[in-house]
Amino acid sequence: KKTDLAHVKETDAAQLEAIARKLFREMAVRMRRRMKSSTKKGRINLRRTIRHSISYGGEPIELYRKSQKPKKQRLIVLLDVSGSMDKYSFYLLRFICALKEQFRQLEAFLFSTQLLRVTKALQLNRIDQILQTVSDQAEHWSGGTRIGTCLGKFNERYGKLLLNGSPIVLILSDGLDTGTPEELQKELKYIKGKARKLIWLNPLKGMKGYAPIAKGMSAALPAIDEFRSAHNLESLLELENILQDA
């Protein structure tokens, strides 16, 4: 759980994948249970409790509450699949798959120098197909990560449709942007204004001595609600609490 995903040997990859799948599945179960238990909280519905207790001689055997079942949130995920994120992308895709059942709607995008919507493939659990698509387009995406430009394309093409209703937006990237800081700030400011919460997970943040001084990451910080690491399974599982409380 504590091993940096970038340091996993090829011979250990299958074992780690099996562990990741198990842990993410357990996380999904916990999130469902927490959502279910929240329906047992709230103010007591006194009238309904008294009416129901009549059949028990007036003894309030069961308390009824006024709280309603919490409504599932919408989640938009943008995953950086550039060369510097290569060691992490596969596990982050697995993680996103584990999240999709916990949200009313999950929209997923990959980006590097271009933006690619993969929501449908993710819903069908076709991770291998997604990875093959990334591999096929790798040659076209080799010009360095253009985070601001890709977020701009997202805002232009999908922002009006997907950012309505205050969704949670999750960006997974190392923040190594080859574009201008001003462009990244502008696009993130737009997303921030529409989102319920903007979360950024950065694998580099888990490294000893890391500081977000790269121009892209530094420019992004003012708009971010939660800035966390994503370098190992343990750090990914910590996102459970952030999403649950969003």
Side-chain angles (χ1 to χ4, degrees):
K1 288 170 67 175
K2 295 180 182 294
T3 301
D4 191 306
L5 299 176
H7 299 157
V8 177
K9 297 178 181 178
E10 190 172 336
T11 52
D12 298 327
Q15 183 182 8
L16 182 62
E17 182 189 343
I19 294 172
R21 190 183 294 113
K22 178 176 181 290
L23 291 175
F24 294 159
R25 192 162 51 234
E26 290 173 354
M27 182 196 72
V29 170
R30 285 196 304 271
M31 291 180 73
R32 280 197 295 272
R33 286 175 178 169
R34 287 174 64 174
M35 176 169 280
K36 186 176 180 180
S37 68
S38 67
T39 64
K40 299 178 182 179
K41 301 176 183 178
R43 292 185 300 136
I44 294 174
N45 188 327
L46 191 58
R47 179 178 296 179
R48 189 180 178 193
T49 298
I50 292 174
R51 186 169 62 245
H52 185 73
S53 70
I54 292 175
S55 60
Y56 296 97
E59 197 71 31
I61 301 298
E62 185 174 359
L63 297 178
Y64 288 86
R65 301 182 182 272
K66 294 182 178 180
S67 62
Q68 297 179 341
K69 185 176 180 179
K71 188 177 181 181
K72 285 186 176 182
Q73 299 293 333
R74 291 171 51 240
L75 179 66
I76 299 172
V77 182
L78 296 121
L79 171 61
D80 184 346
V81 291
S82 59
S84 59
M85 287 285 292
D86 182 56
K87 296 290 186 179
Y88 300 98
S89 297
F90 179 79
Y91 297 101
L92 294 178
L93 276 170
R94 288 282 186 209
F95 179 65
I96 294 169
C97 269
L99 290 176
K100 72 178 187 296
E101 297 300 327
Q102 313 312 314
F103 292 87
R104 178 160 49 97
Q105 178 186 2
L106 188 147
E107 289 284 344
F109 296 82
L110 307 180
F111 70 88
S112 179
T113 58
Q114 300 180 36
L115 182 75
L116 180 66
R117 190 179 188 181
V118 294
T119 301
K120 188 173 182 180
L122 198 65
Q123 289 171 345
L124 298 173
N125 285 325
R126 293 178 177 172
I127 294 182
D128 293 337
Q129 178 183 328
I130 296 174
L131 290 172
Q132 185 59 51
T133 300
V134 173
S135 177
D136 293 342
Q137 299 201 24
E139 187 175 327
H140 303 288
W141 290 8
S142 60
T145 317
R146 300 175 61 189
I147 305 175
T149 300
C150 289
L151 292 182
K153 290 178 181 177
F154 167 79
N155 290 336
E156 180 183 349
R157 297 177 188 173
Y158 307 102
K160 188 175 182 180
L161 174 66
L162 300 181
L163 288 175
N164 67 86
S166 300
I168 299 169
V169 178
L170 173 62
I171 298 174
L172 301 110
S173 172
D174 54 18
L176 301 179
D177 189 14
T178 58
T180 66
E182 293 77 17
E183 183 180 26
L184 181 55
Q185 283 180 329
K186 174 188 173 185
E187 302 305 337
L188 279 177
K189 184 178 180 180
Y190 178 82
I191 294 173
K192 169 72 172 177
K194 301 284 187 179
R196 180 186 185 92
K197 179 173 279 191
L198 177 56
I199 304 167
W200 190 303
L201 300 188
N202 185 334
L204 299 182
K205 194 174 187 296
M207 298 181 180
K208 187 176 181 179
Y210 170 78
I213 57 176
K215 63 178 183 178
M217 199 68 254
S218 179
L221 284 178
I224 299 171
D225 294 307
E226 294 280 355
F227 181 48
R228 302 292 183 100
S229 59
H231 63 298
N232 58 19
L233 297 181
E234 188 173 64
S235 63
L236 290 177
L237 293 172
E238 289 176 2
L239 185 65
E240 174 186 340
N241 294 322
I242 301 173
L243 293 173
Q244 199 74 42
D245 297 334

